[in-house]
Amino acid sequence: MNKSNRYIPLLMALCVVIGVIIGTFYANHFSGNRLNIINSGGSRLTNLLHIIDDLYVDSVNIDNLVEKAMPQILAELDPHSVYISSKEAQNTTDDLKGSFSGVGIEFVIRDDTVHIQNVIKNGPSEKAGLLAGDKIVSIDGKPFVGKEVTNEEAMHRLKGPKDSQVKIGILRYREKKERVFTVTRGDIPMKSITATYMINDSTGYIRIKNFGDKTYAEMLASLSALSADGADNLIIDLRDNTGGYLDKAVQICNEFLPKDRLIVYTEGRKSPRANYYSDGHGVYQDIPLVVLINEGSASASEIFAGAMQDNDRATIIGRRSFGKGLVQQQIPFSDGSLIRLTVARYYTPSGRCIQKPYEAGDSKDYEMDLLTRYEHGEYFSQDSIKHTGPAYKTHIGRVVYGGGGITPDIFIPEDTVNMTSYYKEAAMSGLILQFAFNYTDDNRPLLNQYKSMRTLSNYLKKQNLVERFAVFADQNGLKRRNLMIMKSHDLLERYIDSRIIYNMLDEQAWNEFMNLDDPTIRAALEVIRKNQTVPKK
């Protein structure tokens, strides 16, 4: 992008401001009513808003003007300094808080109708009698179908203060008459650890989706459960973990490190260096450990992976992480809106800055970075990884690289052997998700008898679902391609089955199924088998 072109909107805005000022001067000079706004002190931005409010030809809602301007101002700083409106603020923090007040369902929207996908166990909706597969057709006596049905509007109507009530009208499977349930809203737990199980006789597996308020407590419970099951080794899966709270990542790091090891440090222009060290009280300092990452692992997950790598505590397996190493301070406003302003950078123990390069005010290249990596072959070849920073040394002197993200010790390419354009279109168009949900909905009474991932998976493999999907897709605009379907058969089957398992069981069952034939999991188990979880120089 031509840098000079970037400043054209700013120059135009400046010209407008100058024009307003000159016009104001002459208008008031000749009218005998001088305004002293320009010379009254304060910032130019404040003065500009006063001028517009006092003199602009039409009436202007200054609050709306500020609401639109603030994101643009922050965008000139860095990719992660953002303005969040009061309407969006609550939703953006719910995932990390660990709970929110609502009715306790997971839903999808199909054909302008809310379909209940899962009912949270022991939650308000289960207690009221709602079931997975029910279709919501009214809320508080008002129809809720059609174009007004969006994720945001559904959440707005279903969430509410604890102990408040909401009347939900539903249509049940093969019924034509609406049923109305009164649901008393309650606290809904938001799990940040979505899977904990023994992946074989001696190895435990934990998947952390994000680092929220309750992640450390959940982690201790998971570790305790795996220890009771006889786990002698551990795999921590941080793939697609977008991050969260720094202190929770530090607490979990502390469980695995000996005393006085640097975990991470932060530093900024107005933020003096702050070091975070382990205290030596961690119970799991000696358990063999493997950490999985990919291009979706960011922020707090990179802090954990970087601390384990730089302290030579674990083997990191996967693909280079996202590269978000900017520290945001959350600053609320009286109306409920807030800004997240970057105040420092994260650095791993060896001194690497996690943040990948960016150009202030130009977010396009930054936002396209993952696609650029794909196009440059980084997902498929370790040699394609571009390190823009210098080399650093770990605790025992191994060489690691800065320049953005955490580069794994063992690289696992994305599997594209059976990838075809048919599969890509089937996945990206949402047709697989739609087919899987329709199949689940149509066969829910039959599928309910399979209570485990293994039994349900074995049943689904006998149902010829790829052929059924091909017919469905052809009827919905994706032309049948028999040779491509044959080549991508296993990929299609895996995707379809995984979504049905998720719909019928839960996220842990989905994780267990996806891990069955995962090359990254296989590599982790091989490292454990060879006793290579502690990297050597």
Side-chain angles (χ1 to χ4, degrees), residues 48 164 220 224 226 244 284 303 462 487 497:
L48 173 61
S164 63
L220 293 180
S224 178
L226 292 175
Y284 300 92
I303 290 170
K462 301 172 185 176
K487 183 175 181 180
D497 290 359

Side-chain angles (χ1 to χ4, degrees), residues 135 137 169-179:
K135 301 175 184 178
V137 294
I170 64 99
L171 285 180
R172 187 150 288 172
Y173 179 69
R174 288 183 176 172
E175 292 183 1
K176 295 183 178 179
K177 187 176 180 181
E178 178 182 350
R179 298 189 186 197

Side-chain angles (χ1 to χ4, degrees), residues 217-231:
E218 290 179 32
M219 186 69 174
L220 293 180
S222 292
L223 289 167
S224 178
L226 292 175
S227 295
D229 288 340

Side-chain angles (χ1 to χ4, degrees), residues 169-234:
I170 64 99
L171 285 180
R172 187 150 288 172
Y173 179 69
R174 288 183 176 172
E175 292 183 1
K176 295 183 178 179
K177 187 176 180 181
E178 178 182 350
R179 298 189 186 197
V180 178
F181 295 83
T182 299
V183 181
T184 301
R185 297 182 179 98
D187 290 335
I188 309 301
M190 298 285 286
K191 291 279 190 181
S192 55
I193 292 183
T194 57
T196 301
Y197 70 101
M198 294 294 292
I199 207 162
N200 63 24
D201 291 342
S202 62
T203 303
Y205 170 93
I206 298 174
R207 187 181 191 108
I208 308 176
K209 182 166 68 174
N210 57 38
F211 290 87
D213 270 345
K214 298 182 179 179
T215 305
Y216 180 56
E218 290 179 32
M219 186 69 174
L220 293 180
S222 292
L223 289 167
S224 178
L226 292 175
S227 295
D229 288 340
D232 297 319
N233 314 286
L234 182 63

